[in-house]
Amino acid sequence: MYTQAIDVAGKVASLDDARALSEAEQQQLARFDERMAADQKIEPQEYMPAEYRKTLVRQISQHAHSEIVGMLPEGNWISRAPSLKRKAILLAKVQDEAGHGLYLYSAAETLGTSRDQMIDALHSGKAKYSSIFNYPTLTWADVGVIGWLVDGAAIMNQVPLCRCTYGPYARAMIRICKEESFHQRQGFDALLAMMAGTQQQRDMVQEAVNRWWWPVLMMFGPSDKDSIHSAQTMKWGIKRISNDDLRQKFVDAAMEQAKVLGVTFPDPDLKWNAERGQHDYGTIDWSEFWRVVNGEGPCNKERVGARVAAHEKGAWVREAALAHAEKQRQRAARQAA
Amino acid sequence: MTQAINKEWPLWEVFVRSKMGLEHKHSGSLHAADAEQALRMARDVYTRRQEGVSIWVVPSAAITASAPEDKGELFDPAADKIYRHPTFYQLPEEVNHM
């Protein structure tokens, strides 16, 4: 949210010539480590190790991509929403997602990348987005389930990020979390209405829950023993709670909510463990997870295809806007002269 | 720099004054072709929930920021000029609510 385009008075901080560590740089690194240990915030113009920067660019940009691609599965139901009220709510929600994407791209840009570069990486398949958006929305109930479970999982993931050590990311997350809780509540509300309806509507909800449950659990990422980035991001205060711990917290919370709603989750091993004070749950199909992450999920090609098409077909509009702005600028300059 | 990046819309910083707010606060940034479009987008993105009554947009390139390394020298002199603060002055009891 604070931009790299801002000039630092009298000094041009170069991002990448910190390859060979001089003595001065070693001191900077030591100071950085101290600040990490003291859990202080880092701001865009300050020194940070190249790896910290790279990790953040990766994580924030993929987070931004998720918001943007995430508009597609829900957008699929805008024109078919069952009532005007639900349609207006869904429109507002999808608008929020666009805003979240924007906040996050801005936060990532403070690290010295540009939005065009990031979008390029998304379109070429170099950058990833959340695995969840590669699943199709087959019925209206899916829209409610996405609000309740998908956004619920997102909030679980994002609340700890509000305290992350990189200032612009933390501030973007605070804003996003506030709006995200609207999304989760409206999703639950839509499902409650359906559960109070006909048997057919209740079946539709249960069937949607069955399809989304496992993909939602996968949103928390690989299990701790397989998570390659975890140790370092924990040390840097980018990640606060491990993937498995967050997933457990989510399962425990979702079980309570499912009772209220009157649905079950498709997992025969899911039950309360009095000894641990938590729910046990079955094993995630990690082969499916990796397949989806690596581009072979049900909708990967469709999602990226839709993004690329929008970008390419919109090129002339973006150019027109720039040309118009330039013409206005010249006209204003002429009038001032 | 590739062609695509040159064609990127410039970056703007957005400042919003809230309904009860006395001053504009930095809310974030966005890309827009010109100031008018930046304003319109800022309205949609940063005031969707009535967060403000006034918006400023500024090209990011127009902002110059102080350097973090200079924090020490730049802000230090304040500490030894405590006489700048009204609380430094102890006046006679009778007028001390001045």
Side-chain angles (χ1 to χ4, degrees), chain A residues 13-323:
Chain A
S14 170
L15 303 183
D16 279 323
D17 47 8
R19 283 286 138 74
L21 285 186
S22 68
E23 201 173 318
E25 283 160 345
Q26 279 172 3
Q27 281 174 358
Q28 280 182 315
L29 188 61
R31 210 174 325 136
F32 176 86
D33 287 340
E34 263 169 44
R35 295 187 58 189
M36 288 292 104
D39 209 9
Q40 289 176 345
K41 291 262 186 289
I42 296 293
E43 294 299 331
Q45 299 127 300
E46 293 178 86
Y47 167 82
M48 62 189 92
E51 277 305 306
Y52 178 81
R53 187 183 297 277
K54 214 175 103 191
T55 299
L56 278 168
V57 168
R58 195 193 67 244
Q59 184 172 336
I60 303 174
S61 70
Q62 296 188 358
H63 196 159
H65 297 330
S66 302
E67 302 284 354
I68 298 305
V69 176
M71 292 195 278
L72 296 167
E74 291 180 293
N76 184 34
W77 279 91
I78 289 176
S79 64
R80 294 179 283 169
S83 71
L84 189 54
K85 173 183 149 185
R86 296 291 171 195
K87 185 177 190 157
I89 291 171
L90 182 56
L91 280 167
K93 182 183 174 190
V94 174
Q95 189 190 22
D96 277 357
E97 310 288 10
H100 297 175
L102 189 151
Y103 309 153
L104 288 161
Y105 282 127
S106 300
E109 283 186 293
T110 65
L111 292 158
T113 178
S114 83
R115 191 166 70 178
D116 275 12
Q117 282 174 308
M118 290 184 268
I119 288 175
D120 237 23
L122 170 67
H123 291 175
S124 67
K126 255 187 289 175
K128 302 203 186 312
Y129 53 87
S130 178
S131 57
I132 196 73
F133 300 119
N134 292 311
Y135 290 88
T137 41
L138 303 179
T139 70
W140 168 251
D142 290 40
V143 174
V145 171
I146 289 178
W148 171 39
L149 293 178
V150 174
D151 292 306
I155 295 173
M156 215 39 101
N157 252 325
Q158 291 171 354
V159 166
L161 288 172
C162 295
R163 295 181 289 121
C164 102
T165 49
Y166 189 57
Y169 194 23
R171 288 189 288 273
M173 289 324 306
I174 290 169
R175 189 183 284 274
I176 288 172
C177 283
K178 273 190 216 153
E179 298 179 349
E180 212 64 72
S181 83
F182 144 58
H183 298 175
Q184 191 188 15
R185 281 155 179 256
Q186 64 79 22
F188 197 77
D189 178 69
L191 296 179
L192 270 179
M194 292 180 80
M195 290 306 284
T198 65
Q199 187 58 43
Q200 213 182 354
Q201 285 174 307
R202 282 191 291 277
D203 292 346
M204 194 187 272
V205 173
Q206 182 61 58
E207 194 258 342
V209 169
N210 291 348
R211 276 184 291 109
W212 287 92
W213 175 248
W214 290 105
V216 164
L217 291 190
M218 294 176 197
M219 286 174 70
F220 294 93
S223 75
D224 294 346
K225 58 182 193 326
D226 299 322
S227 181
I228 46 172
H229 303 297
S230 276
Q232 189 60 70
T233 51
M234 288 279 234
K235 196 179 136 220
W236 278 334
I238 298 171
K239 197 170 187 54
R240 297 287 179 173
I241 306 175
S242 84
N243 292 353
D244 286 337
D245 288 349
L246 278 173
R247 194 165 11 239
Q248 180 69 57
K249 253 177 86 172
F250 175 78
V251 169
D252 292 334
M255 281 299 277
E256 296 303 309
Q257 295 156 1
K259 265 185 233 152
V260 177
L261 202 56
V263 296
T264 57
F265 295 126
D267 179 359
D269 298 323
L270 186 56
K271 57 178 176 297
W272 178 249
N273 181 330
E275 216 171 290
R276 288 198 304 131
Q278 290 171 321
H279 290 87
D280 290 332
Y281 58 94
T283 311
I284 289 171
D285 180 353
W286 292 113
S287 67
E288 174 180 328
F289 172 76
W290 290 114
R291 212 165 47 241
V292 175
V293 167
N294 290 320
E296 299 300 325
C299 299
N300 296 56
K301 289 182 182 67
E302 184 187 334
R303 299 289 187 243
V304 175
R307 280 300 318 148
V308 171
H311 192 72
E312 286 174 356
K313 288 182 190 159
W316 69 270
V317 180
R318 293 193 301 276
E319 282 165 31
L322 269 185

Side-chain angles (χ1 to χ4, degrees), chain A residues 3 7 45 96 109 116 179, chain B residues 4 8 13 31 48-49 65:
Chain A
T3 71
D7 274 329
Q45 299 127 300
D96 277 357
E109 283 186 293
D116 275 12
E179 298 179 349
Chain B
E8 192 162 24
E13 299 301 316
H31 288 274
R48 274 202 303 289
R49 291 181 171 80

Side-chain angles (χ1 to χ4, degrees), chain B residues 13-33:
Chain B
E13 299 301 316
V14 179
F15 299 80
V16 174
R17 181 163 63 80
S18 64
K19 222 177 296 174
M20 302 307 226
L22 294 174
E23 72 289 276
H24 287 74
K25 273 169 87 172
H26 185 246
S27 309
S29 45
L30 51 80
H31 288 274

